[in-house]
Every structure is written in C-alpha cells, then in structure tokens.
Amino acid sequence: MRTLSFDKAGAAKAADAKADLVIEDRSIFPAAANSPFVNYAFLVEPGEYLLSAFSVRVTKSVSKVGYFKAERGELVSAETSKGGSFTVSAGEIVYIGHFALDCFQNPMPWRFYLDSQNDFASYLRDVQKESPGIDVDRVIFRLFKTTTIGRAFELPSTR
C-alpha cells in the first residue's frame, strides 16, 4: 500500500486538489518482521475525515510494476465516502485502526483492529515506548467507520 488520503468533510475539493491528510509509505521495505504495521500520529483539525483516495503498488515481476488506485471522484460524493470515515474532536487522541493491504479479489486497503481491551492496552504500552510524547491514557478506541474495507467492531467493555 502506497498512500491513503483523507478529505475533511464539509470542504468540497476539486478532483486534483491535495487531500487534507495523506499517509504515504515511502519505504521500499516492509515494516519490521514482528509487525506488518507502522504507527503514525497526526495532528488534525477537529471534524470528520473521509477516505478520498488510495494507491496500491502492484508488482508482477521486477519489470512489471503498476498501481491500483481509487481517486476522489470514485470514492467521495455528497459528503460521504464509499470507503469510510473517522471523526476526531478537539483535544482527542483517537485510534482509528491499522490499515494494510488485502488481496482477496483485487488489491485494496483493509482496516484491521485490536479486538480486546488487553490487546489494546498492550499496543498502547508499545506506542508509549515508541512515542513517549503521546499520552496513551487519553487514547480513545474509535475505529475508522467502513462497510467496504473492514468490519464494524466496538471494543468490548471491561465492566
């Protein structure tokens, strides 16, 4: 997976306008062997963010490399995204899930998640080690909402 792009809802954009948030993998090597995911943290304005584009690099051989892409015109219409969205309010730190490549029928991004309070707590301890400036006690589990590139899920309560 090369890029995921998000547009802030409420601000119509031209087809060729830059997205409000772009996550770009510039590495030529996959993530560490013990995890297929790389953690990212972004400071964004409060609001709803719509998946507006993605790009997946497809390699058939050393000499046959192409891209499987979805652009804003294919994903966003009438202030909604076929791919999904996430929301963040002022002062929040939100975990929206992990994104990786799925190749079930066509290469496409897929949103994964931690499925227990213990796994989430363990993940946050690792985040704290990697990024000590993030107050992991304030992190909210609020997944990227989607019906096309992931399954609906709510983290079970500890009560």
Side-chain angles (χ1 to χ4, degrees):
M1 191 159 43
R2 302 304 291 169
T3 62
L4 290 173
S5 300
F6 300 88
D7 290 345
K8 188 172 181 195
K13 294 194 177 306
D16 60 348
K18 184 170 172 55
D20 295 306
L21 174 61
V22 178
I23 302 170
E24 186 172 20
D25 178 13
R26 293 180 180 221
S27 69
I28 58 170
F29 300 106
N34 60 348
S35 174
F37 303 108
V38 175
N39 294 320
Y40 294 91
F42 296 95
L43 183 61
V44 297
E45 291 181 16
E48 179 181 18
Y49 288 82
L50 312 172
L51 180 64
S52 58
F54 64 83
S55 173
V56 174
R57 185 173 144 181
V58 181
T59 306
K60 292 183 180 182
S61 70
V62 173
S63 62
K64 292 184 181 177
V65 178
Y67 289 88
F68 181 77
K69 298 179 180 185
E71 301 292 336
R72 182 177 287 123
E74 300 166 81
L75 292 175
V76 178
S77 65
E79 291 301 311
T80 62
S81 171
K82 293 176 187 175
S85 67
F86 70 91
T87 59
V88 62
S89 296
E92 286 187 327
I93 303 171
V94 181
Y95 166 79
I96 64 169
H98 292 79
F99 292 83
L101 183 62
D102 182 76
C103 295
F104 173 62
Q105 292 178 338
N106 289 313
M108 62 184 278
W110 191 258
R111 195 262 353 262
F112 295 89
Y113 52 85
L114 302 156
D115 61 2
S116 75
Q117 288 284 354
N118 288 339
D119 289 346
F120 187 52
S122 176
Y123 167 72
L124 291 177
R125 284 191 297 273
D126 291 342
V127 167
Q128 184 68 59
K129 290 176 192 169
E130 184 180 313
S131 303
I134 295 176
D135 184 355
V136 296
D137 293 331
R138 293 184 42 222
V139 177
I140 299 165
F141 187 98
R142 185 184 307 135
L143 290 179
F144 174 83
K145 294 179 187 174
T146 183
T147 58
T148 57
I149 65 168
R151 294 181 178 86
F153 179 79
E154 301 258 341
L155 193 61
S157 173
T158 56
R159 296 178 192 190

